[in-house]
Amino acid sequence: MKKLLSTFTALVALGFAGVVNAADLVVYTSQPNADAQATIDGFKAANPNVDVEWVRDGTPQIMAKLNAELAAGNPVADILLIADTVTFERMKAAGQLLAYKSPEAKNFDASLYDADGYYYSTKLITTGIMYNTQAAMKPTSWADLAKPEAKGLVTMPSPVASGAALIHAQTLAGVEGLGWDYYKDLKANGAIAAGGNGGVLKAVASGEKAYGVVVDYMPIREKAKGAPVEFVFPKEGVSAVTEPAAILSSTKHQDNAKKFIDYLLSENGQKIAAGLGYIPARNGIELPAGYPAREEIKLLPLNAADALKNSEKDVKTFSDIFGTKG
C-alpha cells in the first residue's frame, strides 16, 4: 500500500513511523507515482513475502522529510531512490548510508556506482529541450532558447523543486560559451522557471509555451501517446542524473533492503526501467523506442564533489537570476 506524504515536519514523521512499523521495507523515492508503483510491483513479484511501503515526492521535498526524521532521531526509510548522486555523496560523508557490494554491479560501468558500494545508479535521465510541434523554430542547441524566436516562449523547472534541474543548471554553468550568463540571457528573453518537470511538460504539450527544458522520458512518452511534442538532445550535449538507490545506515530491514538493491540492478529490474521509457543503466539492455543509440547521446561532464560543495550557492544564483523561490 502506497503512502503519499507531502507535509515534512518531525511531528508527521513521527506519526508516520507508527503507520509503517508493520512494513518489511520502506522506500522513499522521487520517481513519478506510476513508475514508483511499477518498481514496487516488480520487486514484490520477485519477493512476494516482503510488505513494502513507499513515499513519493520531489528530491528536495523527500530530503527535507528525511532530514527532519534524522534530526528527530527517528528515520523511517530503509531505501532512498532519488534523482542524483550529489545528495548521496553528502549522505555518505555524513555516515548516513550503508555500504553493500551488490553482485549485480559487475554488469554496470564503474562510473555508475560508488566504488565502496554506498549507492548505485539505476538509469540515465538526461535533460534536453522539448518543443510543441506548432512552434515556428525547431531548436537544435541550447543557444536557440535565447534567440528572439523563443522570446517569452520558454519554460523550465526550478532547482528548488527538482534535483534534476539543479544538476542541469550546474552542468550548463560549467560549459564554455554557456555558463550563468546563458541563464541571464534566458531570463532577459522572457523564460520562466518554476516548479518541476511535470509543469513544463503540461505547458508545452498544451501550447501554453512553445519550448521547455525537461527530462527526456516525459515528452518521449507523451509523443508516443499522440501529444504534439518533440524532444531534442542539443548538439552541445545534455546533463544527466542517474536515479541512484542506497540503503540507509539506520535501516531496520537490512536483508530486504539488499534484496531491493539487487532487484533494481537485475536484468528484470532494468528491463522494467526500459519498459517505463528510461535509458537503463545496466549494460546489454535495449533502449526504449524514441531514443537515439546510446553512443549518439553526448553527456556533459559534472564534477560531483564540486556540485555538492556549490549546491546551495548555485540554487541561490539561479533563484536570484529568475527572481523565484521555487
Side-chain angles (χ1 to χ4, degrees):
M1 180 179 63
K2 65 183 181 181
K3 302 292 181 183
L4 303 179
L5 303 182
S6 58
T7 304
F8 302 118
T9 65
L11 181 60
V12 170
L14 289 168
F16 183 64
V19 176
V20 299
N21 268 345
D24 301 315
L25 188 70
V26 180
V27 178
Y28 281 12
T29 182
S30 62
Q31 290 181 303
N33 290 333
D35 296 356
Q37 189 66 67
T39 300
I40 299 302
D41 288 346
F43 173 75
K44 285 182 65 64
N47 299 272
N49 296 322
V50 180
D51 180 32
V52 183
E53 299 279 354
W54 59 276
V55 179
R56 188 272 155 197
D57 213 312
T59 294
Q61 292 81 8
I62 281 289
M63 291 310 301
K65 172 175 172 51
L66 179 59
N67 286 333
E69 293 174 357
L70 289 167
N74 193 38
V76 175
D78 300 297
I79 291 284
L80 192 58
L81 174 58
I82 55 173
D84 64 276
T85 58
V86 174
T87 299
F88 282 133
E89 281 291 317
R90 180 186 297 115
M91 297 182 71
K92 175 184 174 181
Q96 295 170 337
L97 301 180
L98 179 73
Y100 170 55
K101 297 288 187 73
S102 172
E104 298 289 346
K106 65 181 181 292
N107 300 294
F108 291 71
D109 292 343
S111 63
L112 292 176
Y113 60 89
D114 178 66
D116 298 317
Y118 283 99
Y119 57 81
Y120 295 88
S121 298
T122 64
K123 53 184 68 75
L124 297 178
I125 303 175
T126 70
T127 290
I129 301 170
M130 71 176 292
Y131 65 91
N132 190 288
T133 54
Q134 297 301 308
M137 178 184 66
K138 312 302 182 188
T140 60
S141 75
W142 291 114
D144 287 342
L145 298 186
K147 289 181 176 180
E149 297 95 314
K151 188 171 182 64
L153 300 176
V154 177
T155 182
M156 69 189 77
S158 166
V160 177
S162 166
L166 174 57
I167 295 298
H168 179 68
Q170 291 180 303
T171 301
L172 291 198
V175 174
E176 186 176 356
L178 294 174
W180 288 117
D181 284 344
Y182 171 67
Y183 282 98
K184 293 174 183 176
D185 291 342
L186 289 179
K187 173 63 176 176
N189 205 38
I192 61 170
N197 286 276
V200 173
L201 175 69
K202 182 178 179 180
V204 177
S206 68
E208 176 187 346
K209 294 290 183 180
Y211 309 102
V213 176
V214 72
V215 290
D216 54 25
Y217 67 91
M218 287 186 172
I220 289 174
R221 278 183 187 172
E222 292 307 303
K223 177 186 175 182
K225 297 176 185 176
V229 297
E230 293 286 349
F231 182 78
V232 175
F233 292 85
K235 62 184 181 182
E236 300 96 335
V238 292
S239 65
V241 294
T242 60
E243 202 163 87
I247 303 172
L248 275 293
S249 58
S250 55
T251 178
K252 301 175 180 66
H253 307 104
Q254 188 174 136
D255 289 344
N256 288 335
K258 291 177 178 179
K259 289 178 183 178
F260 192 81
I261 295 294
D262 289 344
Y263 168 75
L264 290 176
L265 306 182
S266 71
E267 184 174 353
N268 285 340
Q270 289 288 291
K271 283 182 176 178
I272 285 182
L276 289 169
Y278 297 104
I279 302 172
R282 182 180 173 119
N283 294 325
I285 306 294
E286 186 176 355
L287 269 65
Y291 286 87
R294 191 189 290 260
E295 59 269 19
E296 294 177 15
I297 301 173
K298 180 182 177 182
L299 296 179
L300 293 168
L302 178 70
N303 184 296
D306 289 345
L308 171 61
K309 180 176 65 177
N310 297 323
S311 58
E312 290 186 10
K313 181 188 69 162
D314 290 339
V315 168
K316 184 178 186 305
T317 298
F318 186 99
S319 298
D320 286 347
I321 291 171
F322 286 93
T324 180
K325 295 184 182 298

